[in-house]
Amino acid sequence: NTLGVKEPYLLSNSPFYFLKNIRRGVRMLLTFDVTKKAELELRFTDEKLAELTKLADKKPKEKDVLEKALQNYLSSHHRLQSRLESLRGKNKNVDSLLEKLANRLFDHQELFQELDDVISKEKIDLINQAFGQNIVKAVEMNKEKMKEKLIARIKRENIGDLKKLDFVEDLQEIT
């Protein structure tokens, strides 16, 4: 898949899902570098989106199950935002993180466009708000580098030139 994570086998509707969260917590606890912690949180966000996507395929009518998975995903986004804030002003090597973040934000957006029939517009708006906040935090870390990474990804997208121009103009406003 585009997220670079394994297909999830233990989903948020399982009574054993807490074990997965414990494993994630231990991995985070054993990671000491702040940049690596942010990369790990981004990976957890990817995993939670993969879980949500699988649940949407398996149980599209069970709104409460999808809601719980979506909340897990959004919580991970908020934690990622906190991790990005903790990196601001620190001279850490964040190039790899910025590139992953730029790519993942687009990948996540594409997957959510496929889920728009099972997730309400209000929830999609919340997701877009979380995306926007994380882009702003990443831009605050290193404006020029993040702008470069986002523009490179926009150019690779298979969309019309006018849409690409819109993205670039929006990016100019942020930076």
Side-chain angles (χ1 to χ4, degrees), residues 143-158:
K143 283 184 183 185
E144 289 308 310
K145 197 57 102 169
M146 189 60 183
K147 186 175 169 181
E148 172 188 316
K149 304 290 183 193
L150 287 169
I151 289 174
R153 177 59 194 255
I154 289 167
K155 287 180 179 177
R156 287 194 313 266
E157 285 297 304
N158 189 20

Side-chain angles (χ1 to χ4, degrees), residues 13-175:
N13 64 336
S14 167
F16 301 106
Y17 188 73
F18 74 96
L19 294 171
K20 196 174 209 178
N21 284 331
I22 289 172
R23 181 186 57 84
R24 286 177 176 144
V26 169
R27 284 187 67 197
M28 190 63 74
L29 188 66
L30 295 175
T31 303
F32 300 104
D33 180 83
V34 290
T35 304
K36 295 290 183 196
K37 281 184 182 274
E39 287 180 2
L40 192 55
E41 194 65 61
L42 180 58
R43 180 169 180 78
F44 293 161
T45 303
D46 292 342
E47 289 174 359
K48 289 179 183 184
L49 179 54
E51 293 166 6
L52 175 61
T53 303
K54 188 168 182 178
L55 279 171
D57 286 343
K58 288 176 68 175
K59 301 182 181 286
K61 302 281 187 226
E62 294 187 31
K63 298 296 181 192
D64 57 329
V65 170
L66 293 174
E67 176 71 25
K68 182 179 178 185
L70 182 60
Q71 287 305 318
N72 285 338
Y73 173 77
L74 286 172
S75 295
S76 191
H77 247 293
H78 292 302
R79 283 189 302 278
L80 177 59
Q81 182 180 350
S82 296
R83 300 270 180 214
L84 294 173
E85 282 178 19
S86 73
L87 288 172
R88 189 175 24 178
K90 294 186 175 148
N91 225 354
K92 293 285 182 183
N93 183 6
V94 294
D95 286 354
S96 171
L97 173 63
L98 293 177
E99 181 144 359
K100 287 177 187 174
L101 186 60
N103 288 324
R104 287 303 186 269
L105 290 173
F106 278 91
D107 294 340
H108 287 211
Q109 284 282 26
E110 288 173 7
L111 284 171
F112 273 108
Q113 287 175 356
E114 295 171 15
L115 295 174
D116 68 352
D117 57 331
V118 293
I119 296 177
S120 72
K121 181 181 175 349
E122 298 154 342
K123 299 299 180 190
I124 296 291
D125 289 344
L126 281 174
I127 293 161
N128 286 331
Q129 183 181 16
F131 285 143
Q133 290 169 344
N134 283 333
I135 288 174
V136 168
K137 295 301 172 195
V139 167
E140 288 173 355
M141 284 170 30
N142 187 330
K143 283 184 183 185
E144 289 308 310
K145 197 57 102 169
M146 189 60 183
K147 186 175 169 181
E148 172 188 316
K149 304 290 183 193
L150 287 169
I151 289 174
R153 177 59 194 255
I154 289 167
K155 287 180 179 177
R156 287 194 313 266
E157 285 297 304
N158 189 20
I159 55 177
D161 288 338
L162 222 53
K163 189 70 173 168
K164 286 180 183 180
L165 185 60
D166 286 344
F167 279 129
V168 172
E169 287 174 356
D170 289 346
L171 185 57
Q172 296 291 350
E173 282 181 30
I174 294 172
T175 58

